[in-house]
Amino acid sequence: MTVNAGASRSCGIEAGLTWATLDNRLTLSANYGFTHAVFTDYYAGQQSIEGADGQATTIEVDYSGNRVPFAPAHTLAAAADFTQPLQAPHQQPDSGLNLTGCGDVYWDEQNSMRQPFYALLGAHVGGRLTPWLELDLWARNITHTRYDLFRFDSMGRRFAQRGTPAQAGFDIKFRF
């Protein structure tokens, strides 16, 4: 069931820095975002709950002040990339590390389910081999961090989509 949540307020800030040095062979970058998203007026009405004694009790439900679901409080990305031109024309090996992060993310209006902040580490090595061929070997989520991309309750059951586990691969690019 979808309901109108009333009113919310969302404010935040994003900042990014990039720095290149060593004749642009080393590039460092970092980006950070902060979001504060809360319900300012969300009266959900009355709900009946059953106590341990089997007696129903009516309670007032007000989510005002709770975090808005699916809005991460923090996002983070950082990378370090190094490229070394060789004397052979068009050959440029490169390598790098990257880190991405996200969290806390609440999955419901009650703020009873949340994904804590998590970070994923990645790396790559490769480069241009000829004027028309590039190869890149990469790894993502090297530390095999467990996290949820999405979570919700429905019909008395909890459903979640897990994040991608550690993986590795390669990309081949041909230029024509």
Side-chain angles (χ1 to χ4, degrees), residues 148-167:
D148 289 337
L149 291 173
F150 191 78
R151 189 183 321 164
F152 66 96
D153 287 342
S154 179
M155 298 183 293
R157 301 200 56 190
R158 179 158 291 164
F159 298 89
Q161 179 179 349
R162 297 274 183 220
T164 306
Q167 56 182 329

Side-chain angles (χ1 to χ4, degrees), residues 97-100 119-123 139-143 145:
L97 292 172
N98 59 69
L99 180 75
T100 58
L120 307 176
L121 180 63
R140 296 181 185 132
N141 194 5
I142 294 171
T143 57
T145 300

